């Protein structure tokens, strides 16, 4: 059966509704106290806090500021991270669970303080956050989460109903949480960082970071940045030292946006529990109140018909909110850590390079938290939360999640080499179709665009050699091992890879 075409503008609302950036590309070598690789919420927050303490900083972004993961988030600023506190109490104990709770609450208030102090026009508003259950099994888990949250002195309530227009079994509610327009917030901070010896560079790809005895060199395709310390906040570090690609796994999810009558819109921020959950919030727009619904999450590269994931989210919005037309659709990617804690700290022990990754779908607080911790570490200040998130901590690879993801990487690395072994003529590929093919012994990824042009690139990921998989909604080649993504012409879209796929010349 022929499926309906996807609707909605294929761009993040946050990017579409904010101004284009005009930060320069690096044009000559520069020297600063701290160089920051990556212009998202973690990097910009770190830079802002360091500059306030008198440090000179340089942010180096390969594309545009706040246009990566931070520009594709649902932008909930909350310490209610679906259902995590009962797990943390069981697996880590009370003291560590309390640090997680306190640090994420503090990150929420750090965002609020920036908004107030800097008078940032970013649609910041206080909201209650809910995790709701629709089945008896999930109801019990929500009850356990509520009990755990109370023990940790979080602003939790257990409620039988929510403002959602459909019944639930029950929900946990955190009051005085927040939502905002992430790109307006981050662009304001980025503009504040410029000047007095500090700078922000866009369209400048970092190719390597070398650590010397007393300084570091950040090499780019346009010049070099010299710094005493370097912070790498590229979603997943582009440097393989530290093996963070083996301690996390990449997850994609999908968001649709639709104008909704304010009288029918739920007041608050919501996320379901269970395996197939959905995220819900609203935001003001020039056309009216925009309902954002997210869901359809899966490990990168393991679903080829990603258009179906969008349809799943659209169907949910239609059925639950009576939505008929959609204004936006976009996808996002997160790195999920095996123990649910982000990695924040030094790349390796005694290193002058620092990292932040593994935000596990809650990057607005954890990215802000990263900036708070990293700035303290660089300034030599004591940070009470740093040990919990220590990036050099030993990771338990025996957990069910770790074992499953490690096996998955091995299966893809070996098994995917058996795909597309038969020789094909490129003329066999139809318009809009993509195939893995082998021509003259070379494994290739080929896609024919709407104008009939065939784009043929190496099918071997330039990170660690896995075979890429086609993503039909985004028209991209995605690596199922560690989450690198490339457009149909082989250009890097997502780290950890920094090298484009080789182009096949016929």
């Amino acid at each position: 059966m022929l499926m309906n075409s996807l609707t909605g503008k294929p761009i993040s609302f946050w990017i579409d509704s904010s101004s284009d950036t005009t930060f320069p590309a690096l044009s000559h070598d520069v020297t600063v106290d701290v160089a920051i690789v990556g212009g998202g919420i973690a990097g910009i927050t770190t830079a802002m806090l360091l500059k306030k303490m008198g440090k000179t900083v340089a942010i180096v972004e390969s594309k545009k500021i706040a246009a990566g993961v931070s520009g594709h988030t649902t932008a909930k600023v909350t310490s209610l991270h679906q259902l995590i506190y009962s797990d943390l109490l069981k697996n880590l104990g009370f003291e560590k669970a309390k640090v997680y709770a306190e640090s994420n609450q503090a990150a929420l208030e750090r965002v609020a303080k920036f908004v107030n102090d800097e008078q940032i026009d970013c649609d910041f508003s206080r909201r209650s956050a809910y995790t709701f259950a629709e089945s008896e099994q999930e109801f019990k888990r929500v009850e356990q989460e509520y009990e755990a949250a109370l023990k940790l002195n979080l602003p939790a309530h257990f409620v039988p109903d929510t403002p959602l227009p459909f019944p639930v079994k029950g929900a946990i509610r955190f009051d005085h949480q927040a939502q905002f327009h992430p790109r307006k917030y981050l662009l304001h901070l980025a503009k504040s960082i410029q000047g007095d010896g500090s700078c922000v560079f866009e369209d400048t790809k970092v190719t390597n970071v070398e650590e010397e005895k007393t300084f570091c060199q950040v090499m780019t395709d346009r010049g070099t940045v010299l710094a005493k310390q370097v912070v790498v906040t590229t979603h997943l570090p582009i440097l393989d030292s530290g093996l963070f690609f083996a301690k996390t796994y990449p997850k994609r999810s999908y968001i649709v946006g639709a104008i909704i009558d304010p009288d029918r819109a739920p007041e608050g921020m919501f996320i379901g529990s269970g395996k197939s959950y959905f995220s819900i919030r609203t935001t003001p727009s020039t056309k009216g109140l925009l309902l954002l619904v997210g869901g359809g999450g899966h490990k990168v590269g393991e679903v080829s018909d990603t258009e179906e994931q969008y349809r799943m989210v659209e169907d949910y919005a239609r059925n639950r909110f009576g939505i008929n037309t959609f204004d936006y659709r976009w996808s996002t990617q997160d790195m999920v850590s095996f123990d649910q804690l982000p990695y924040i700290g030094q790349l390796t022990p005694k290193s002058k390079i620092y990292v932040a990754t593994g935000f596990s779908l809650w990057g607005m607080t954890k990215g802000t938290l990263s900036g708070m911790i990293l700035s303290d570490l660089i300034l030599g200040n004591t940070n009470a939360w740093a040990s919990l998130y220590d990036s050099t901590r030993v990771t338990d690879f025996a957990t069910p999640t770790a074992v499953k993801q490690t096996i998955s990487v091995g299966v893809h690395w070996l098994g995917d080499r058996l795909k597309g072994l038969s020789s094909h003529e490129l003329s066999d590929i139809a318009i809009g179709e993509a195939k893995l093919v082998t021509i003259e012994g070379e494994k290739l990824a080929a896609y024919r665009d709407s104008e009939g042009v065939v784009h043929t690139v190496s099918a071997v990921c330039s990170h660690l050699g896995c075979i890429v998989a086609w993503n039909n909604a985004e028209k991209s080649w995605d690596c199922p091992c560690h989450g690198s993504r490339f457009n149909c012409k082989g250009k890097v879209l997502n780290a950890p890879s920094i090298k484009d796929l080789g182009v096949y010349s016929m």
Side-chain angles (χ1 to χ4, degrees), residues 155-442:
H157 303 270
F158 186 83
V159 293
D161 300 300
T162 72
L164 292 167
F166 52 85
V168 301
K169 295 290 184 181
I172 180 174
R173 186 187 78 212
F174 278 21
D175 290 332
H176 211 55
Q177 306 297 288
Q179 63 182 37
F180 68 164
H181 190 304
R183 197 154 192 265
K184 289 180 180 178
Y185 170 79
L186 291 173
L187 291 188
H188 183 106
L189 293 183
K191 290 174 183 176
S192 301
I193 290 165
Q194 288 241 92
D196 300 321
S198 294
C199 38
V200 178
F201 299 110
E202 293 183 319
D203 300 313
T204 304
K205 181 189 287 189
V206 172
T207 56
N208 197 17
V209 179
E210 291 187 357
E211 191 170 2
E212 308 293 343
K213 285 185 178 181
T214 58
F215 66 95
C216 297
Q217 293 188 79
V218 179
M219 273 82 77
T220 80
D221 57 351
R222 297 176 180 272
T224 301
V225 180
L226 298 179
K228 297 172 185 175
Q229 291 117 341
V230 175
V231 175
V232 179
T233 56
T234 53
H235 190 214
L236 185 65
I238 59 172
L239 305 174
D240 287 340
S241 298
L243 302 177
F244 297 105
F245 62 83
K247 301 175 184 177
T248 60
Y249 68 93
K251 184 174 183 179
R252 288 198 74 74
S253 53
Y254 303 82
I255 302 168
V256 298
I259 296 298
I260 187 171
D261 185 335
D263 292 336
R264 294 172 46 236
E267 179 72 22
M269 307 177 295
F270 308 85
I271 191 166
S273 58
K275 186 176 181 181
S276 298
Y277 61 86
F278 292 86
S279 170
I280 302 159
R281 65 159 287 193
T282 59
T283 188
S285 78
T286 56
K287 294 182 179 179
L289 193 63
L290 191 69
L291 175 72
L292 301 180
V293 179
H298 62 85
K299 187 172 183 288
V300 172
E302 293 199 342
V303 173
S304 58
D305 187 6
T306 49
E307 290 186 357
E308 181 58 28
Q309 305 304 108
Y310 276 115
R311 293 190 186 96
M312 182 191 310
V313 182
E314 286 184 354
D315 286 346
Y316 184 88
R318 288 189 185 96
N319 295 334
R320 297 302 178 94
F321 296 94
I323 298 299
N324 294 315
T325 58
F326 294 90
D327 298 85
Y328 290 95
R329 59 178 169 88
W330 72 90
S331 64
T332 188
Q333 186 161 315
D334 291 280
M335 299 307 300
V336 180
S337 67
F338 295 157
D339 61 4
Q340 302 186 75
L341 302 177
Y343 293 95
I344 306 169
Q346 292 168 292
L347 179 67
T348 57
K350 299 183 180 180
S351 176
K352 293 186 288 293
I353 302 173
Y354 298 79
V355 297
T357 189
F359 297 161
S360 302
L361 286 70
W362 298 101
M364 296 300 96
T365 52
K366 292 179 183 177
T368 302
L369 172 61
S370 297
M372 298 166 77
I373 292 174
L374 293 177
S375 59
D376 275 344
L377 294 178
I378 289 169
L379 292 168
N381 299 332
T382 299
N383 186 292
W385 313 322
S387 61
L388 177 66
Y389 304 113
D390 182 9
S391 52
T392 64
R393 69 182 184 270
V394 176
T395 299
D396 186 356
F397 286 96
T399 65
T401 300
V403 170
K404 179 181 177 181
Q405 299 307 323
T406 300
I407 291 174
S408 173
V409 169
V411 167
H412 282 293
W413 196 93
L414 182 62
D416 288 355
R417 278 162 169 71
L418 302 178
K419 296 178 181 178
L421 283 176
S422 300
S423 295
H424 290 276
E425 295 293 334
L426 295 180
S427 58
D428 294 340
I429 301 174
I431 287 179
E433 186 179 28
K435 285 184 178 180
L436 292 175
V437 300
T438 301
I439 297 178
E440 297 178 351
E442 188 170 357

Side-chain angles (χ1 to χ4, degrees), residues 33 47-56 375-376 379 381:
D33 292 325
M48 187 71 178
L49 292 172
L50 287 172
K51 183 175 180 181
K52 281 182 171 293
M53 296 305 295
K55 296 289 185 180
T56 57
S375 59
D376 275 344
L379 292 168
N381 299 332

Side-chain angles (χ1 to χ4, degrees), residues 23-85:
F23 295 106
L26 180 66
S27 59
H28 59 278
D29 294 353
V30 299
T31 300
V32 290
D33 292 325
V34 183
I36 296 167
V37 183
I41 191 166
I44 291 173
T45 304
T46 305
M48 187 71 178
L49 292 172
L50 287 172
K51 183 175 180 181
K52 281 182 171 293
M53 296 305 295
K55 296 289 185 180
T56 57
V57 298
I59 296 177
V60 186
E61 167 58 45
S62 64
K63 298 180 179 69
K64 296 296 181 182
I65 291 294
V69 179
S70 295
H72 290 79
T73 173
T74 53
K76 298 174 181 177
V77 192
T78 176
S79 59
L80 178 60
H81 297 165
Q82 200 176 30
L83 299 176
I84 191 172
Y85 292 107

